[in-house]
Each structure stands twice: as structure tokens, then as C-alpha cells.
């Protein structure tokens, strides 16, 4: 530091009795003024005295106790922090429930012994993470969900306890993508069989209505389950849904007339007793898809099981392809066949409820692949044949 004018003050005497002095700069800026004040405090009270005073105000820093020097944290402490941290609390109720379950499963797998809980360092061991994720198919939805949870969990806890990023283990938690990861849509004949099977089995009207609501509005599973009577606006052809990432806020989604008609008929048939005895306000609060008369919604697992069972029963879907389809497949079908019918990407993005059109463009790749296959079936794909001869004009 360059000084224009110095004043010297005695700080202490060293072992040889020599006076130790330090320069004090006359301030020419706020930062220099701060330095001057600190230098004067050190000159008056010494380093130890200053640290003691700062410590009384909770401002002291003990270098032996900085986050980077903490050796490890118990699993119990990690779990307690994660379930109360702002990141976890900011998640939607359903995501919090899912993450609690994922946390329990991961901790159970990672136990070093049957009676002990893994520490944070043990949980973050690359070997532990790889072995846990390797229990699931590389590109399965289950593995993707678990990797997503672990990214959130480690990004939050390692930052809090050790002030570390997840760079070292991040590659282990990334999803490997290739052409097979493009959203899958059922063919029309496969879709038709699934819908017919839904109507023919037990609770057929309910299951048929669930699938037709997906196909008529492209809403997500969570959005469907939280749908209540009061969310249906027949005149505007709209259903209000609790949109993804909106923390309870509802957004309007358009439903086609066929789907709206099926939905209204299902409500009239299923809730005849309530319609005749409940007030309008009470009816508005009933869940459309419920197993207890509308008081609460069906569980996500119930709908997932219904759809997976229908896919497994469908003979038009090859056995090796069945694992690629899920509840979300109906949303993919809505998008792909919407593009095929001529709906532009901007309109489709709004119908799907996407925040950004970039999210919708992933379906363009799947649609492009369909177009490539379709164009090869065009009569001109093999040239123009003359009569019965093989002569062609390409």
C-alpha cells in the first residue's frame, strides 16, 4: 500500500524489547477510513483483544471451525437440515412428499451397518451413488427421478455444511441422453386399444374419463388429480389446474368439447347423490377423481398403476416397448398428433401450458422423425413406374 503521510503508533514490544510500530494512513476514501479505524483498534487493543470483542458480538472467526475444515456431518443432522431448508420448503407439496420418500430410500441403501446411519461424506461417496443408481435401468424414468433428487439433495447439503459444489459427483448424476430419449408417443391404433381397454375393465367409466381428459387437454397427472368441480368452466371450455411449479396458483387450460362432455357426464353419473344434497359451494370443492366421494383426490400411484396395467394388456404394443410408456405418454400423444394435424408450435406451447416455447420444441424432433417415415410411404418415394414394368423415372 502506498501512503502519502504516515503516523506511527506503538503496538507492542517484542521479546527483544524493541517497539513495534505500524503505519496509519490518513483516510482519503470510505474503505481507507475503515482500514484506519481497524488499524487504530489493533494498535490500542492488540489482535487478541480485537478478536475477543468481535467474538462477543458473534463476529469472530475461528479458522479451525470454518465449513471447509469440518470433517463430517451425521446423517441425522443432514436429514434434519434438508427437510427444513428453504430449498425443500419452496417445493410443491407433492414434490416434498416424493423427496421425503427418496431421502428415506437413499439413506436406507447407504447404511454402513444395519444399525448405523451414513454420514454426509459417506452418502456423497461416488461408489455409493453409482451402486444406488445402478439398481435402475440407465434411461428409465425411475432412475431419472432419483438422479434429480440427488442433485438437489447434494447441491443443498454440500453447500451448506462444507461450502462445496457438486462438481466431483455431478457427472454421476447427469442423465445420459440419446435418440431413444426423445418423447415417445403411441401410434393411433395402440392408443385406440388402450382407450377401449380402459372402458371395458373395472371402473371403466372412471378410467376411460381419466385417459380422455389427458388426451383432450394435455394436463399433467398432478393437475388432473387436483381438479375439482369448481375448476370446470363449460362456457369458456376451460379447466383451471394447479400448474407445475406454481405452488398452488391455478392457470386455465383449454379442453376440447369431446373431453369436456365426457368429463361432465362422468361427474353427473358418479356424484348423483352429492349433486342432489350438496350446496353449490360444497360441490365446487369436490375432487373429480376420487375414491371417497370427492373428499380427497386419488393417489398418483393409483392412476400410474391403472395406465401401466392397460399398456401391459394392449397387444398392439410390442412387449419390448411397454416400459417406455407411462401416464405422461398421453401428453406426448397430444403434442405430436397436434403438430401432425397442423397446430403451430406457438399455439401448441400454450395448449400444453409450457412457460417457454423452447420446452415445446423437443416434440418437433419426434414429429420430424414421423415425417421422415411417412414420406417414404408416399407413392413417389420409389419413382414413377410405367404400367407393370419396373422402369422408373426418379
Amino acid at each position: 500500500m502506498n501512503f502519502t503521510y504516515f503516523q506511527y503508533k506503538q503496538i507492542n514490544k517484542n521479546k527483544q524489547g524493541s517497539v513495534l510500530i505500524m503505519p496509519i494512513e490518513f483516510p482519503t476514501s470510505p474503505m481507507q477510513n475503515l482500514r484506519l479505524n481497524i488499524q487504530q483498534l489493533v494498535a490500542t487493543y492488540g489482535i487478541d483483544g480485537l478478536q475477543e470483542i468481535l467474538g462477543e458480538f458473534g463476529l469472530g472467526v475461528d479458522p479451525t471451525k470454518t465449513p471447509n475444515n469440518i470433517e463430517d456431518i451425521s446423517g441425522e443432522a443432514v436429514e434434519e437440515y434438508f427437510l427444513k431448508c428453504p430449498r425443500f420448503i419452496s417445493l410443491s407439496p407433492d414434490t416434498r412428499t416424493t423427496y421425503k420418500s427418496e431421502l428415506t430410500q437413499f439413506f436406507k441403501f447407504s447404511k454402513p451397518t444395519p444399525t448405523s446411519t451414513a454420514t454426509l461424506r459417506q452418502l456423497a461417496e461416488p461408489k455409493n451413488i453409482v451402486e444406488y443408481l445402478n439398481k435402475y435401468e440407465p434411461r428409465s424414468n425411475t432412475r431419472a427421478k432419483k438422479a434429480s433428487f440427488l442433485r438437489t439433495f447434494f447441491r443443498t447439503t454440500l453447500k451448506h455444511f462444507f461450502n462445496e459444489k457438486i462438481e466431483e459427483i455431478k457427472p454421476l448424476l447427469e442423465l445420459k441422453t440419446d435418440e431413444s430419449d426423445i418423447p415417445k408417443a403411441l401410434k393411433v391404433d395402440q392408443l385406440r386399444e388402450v382407450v377401449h381397454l380402459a372402458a371395458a375393465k373395472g371402473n371403466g367409466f372412471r378410467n376411460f374419463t381419466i385417459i380422455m381428459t389427458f388426451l383432450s387437454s394435455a394436463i399433467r397427472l398432478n393437475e388432473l388429480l387436483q381438479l375439482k368441480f369448481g375448476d370446470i368452466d363449460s362456457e369458456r371450455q376451460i379447466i383451471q389446474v394447479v400448474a407445475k411449479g406454481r405452488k398452488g396458483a391455478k392457470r386455465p387450460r383449454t379442453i376440447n368439447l369431446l373431453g369436456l362432455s365426457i368429463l361432465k357426464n362422468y361427474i353427473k353419473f358418479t356424484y348423483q347423490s352429492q349433486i342432489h344434497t350438496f350446496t353449490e359451494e360444497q360441490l365446487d370443492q369436490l375432487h373429480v377423481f376420487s375414491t371417497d366421494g370427492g373428499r380427497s383426490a386419488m393417489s398418483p400411484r393409483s392412476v400410474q398403476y391403472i395406465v401401466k396395467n392397460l399398456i401391459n394388456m394392449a397387444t398392439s404394443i410390442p412387449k419390448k416397448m411397454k416400459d417406455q410408456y407411462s401416464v405422461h405418454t398421453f401428453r406426448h400423444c397430444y403434442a405430436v398428433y397436434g403438430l401432425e394435424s397442423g397446430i403451430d408450435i406457438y399455439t401448441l406451447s400454450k395448449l400444453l401450458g409450457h412457460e417457454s416455447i423452447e420446452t415445446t420444441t423437443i416434440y418437433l424432433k419426434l414429429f420430424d422423425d414421423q415425417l421422415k417415415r411417412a414420406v417414404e410411404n408416399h407413392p413417389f418415394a420409389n419413382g414413377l413406374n410405367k404400367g407393370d414394368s419396373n422402369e422408373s423415372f426418379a
Side-chain angles (χ1 to χ4, degrees), residues 38-57:
I38 292 174
Q39 289 170 354
Q40 288 175 334
L41 288 170
V42 172
T44 304
Y45 301 102
I47 294 293
D48 293 339
L50 182 60
Q51 285 185 335
E52 183 178 346
I53 294 170
L54 290 172
E56 291 175 2
F57 288 92

Side-chain angles (χ1 to χ4, degrees), residues 102-363:
E102 293 292 349
L103 187 68
T104 300
Q105 293 176 53
F106 183 54
F107 270 53
K108 183 177 180 180
F109 173 85
S110 305
K111 280 188 171 186
T113 68
T115 57
S116 63
T117 304
T119 65
L120 182 52
R121 290 296 187 198
Q122 289 173 328
L123 291 168
E125 276 288 327
K127 182 174 182 291
N128 181 58
I129 295 171
V130 169
E131 289 179 352
Y132 179 67
L133 292 178
N134 279 349
K135 298 195 303 175
Y136 309 97
E137 289 296 320
R139 293 182 175 85
S140 66
N141 289 334
T142 302
R143 179 171 177 140
K145 290 176 182 177
K146 293 186 180 298
S148 176
F149 158 72
L150 291 177
R151 284 196 299 275
T152 300
F153 172 73
F154 284 123
R155 186 177 288 118
T156 304
T157 55
L158 290 176
K159 173 67 176 175
H160 176 74
F161 289 109
F162 303 134
N163 196 27
E164 294 176 1
K165 295 183 178 180
I166 63 168
E167 298 307 314
E168 184 179 344
I169 59 175
K170 190 175 181 180
L172 305 177
L173 303 174
E174 290 177 346
L175 301 180
K176 297 178 180 178
T177 58
D178 58 20
E179 291 297 310
S180 65
D181 294 315
I182 297 171
K184 304 295 188 299
L186 291 165
K187 295 178 181 178
V188 174
D189 62 315
Q190 295 171 338
L191 201 52
R192 188 180 294 115
E193 183 184 8
V194 169
V195 171
H196 287 168
L197 285 170
K201 298 297 177 182
N203 293 307
F205 196 7
R206 182 197 66 190
N207 298 346
F208 170 75
T209 304
I210 286 174
I211 293 177
M212 289 306 298
T213 302
F214 282 135
L215 293 173
S216 302
S217 62
I219 60 176
R220 301 175 178 87
L221 175 57
N222 256 5
E223 296 168 346
L224 175 121
L225 293 176
Q226 296 183 60
L227 189 65
K228 295 181 178 180
F229 286 22
D231 296 326
I232 302 170
D233 186 338
S234 299
E235 289 187 9
R236 297 172 62 203
Q237 210 173 314
I238 278 173
I239 52 178
Q240 298 285 345
V241 300
V242 179
K244 181 180 179 182
R246 285 303 183 102
K247 301 177 186 176
K250 292 189 175 183
R251 291 183 60 186
R253 297 281 287 281
T254 304
I255 182 171
N256 66 38
L257 288 174
L258 174 62
L260 181 61
S261 175
I262 292 171
L263 194 58
K264 290 169 65 178
N265 287 334
Y266 169 74
I267 290 173
K268 288 179 183 177
F269 176 81
T270 307
Y271 295 95
Q272 293 180 47
S273 174
Q274 291 90 333
I275 290 171
H276 287 99
T277 57
F278 284 18
T279 66
E280 186 174 344
E281 290 74 17
Q282 289 174 323
L283 286 173
D284 282 347
Q285 294 306 311
L286 293 179
H287 289 270
V288 176
F289 299 105
S290 170
T291 57
D292 59 5
R295 290 189 298 275
S296 61
M298 291 177 65
S299 70
R301 285 185 180 276
S302 296
V303 179
Q304 289 165 345
Y305 175 79
I306 291 167
V307 171
K308 183 54 71 174
N309 193 38
L310 292 171
I311 289 170
N312 287 335
M313 287 191 296
T315 58
S316 59
I317 303 174
K319 189 174 181 180
K320 64 180 181 180
M321 300 288 289
K322 292 182 185 290
D323 287 342
Q324 298 182 23
Y325 302 118
S326 65
V327 172
H328 213 63
T329 298
F330 299 121
R331 187 169 162 85
H332 298 329
C333 291
Y334 183 97
V336 171
Y337 292 113
L339 285 171
E340 187 177 85
S341 69
I343 297 176
D344 66 85
I345 191 72
Y346 299 97
T347 301
L348 183 64
S349 183
K350 291 182 179 179
L351 290 172
L352 290 169
H354 285 160
E355 292 287 342
S356 168
I357 195 171
E358 291 181 6
T359 310
T360 318
T361 56
I362 189 172
Y363 293 107

Side-chain angles (χ1 to χ4, degrees), residues 74-85 103 107 153 161:
S74 70
E76 291 82 359
V78 174
E79 180 177 10
E80 182 180 1
Y81 166 74
F82 182 72
L83 295 178
K84 294 179 180 179
C85 72
L103 187 68
F107 270 53
F153 172 73
F161 289 109

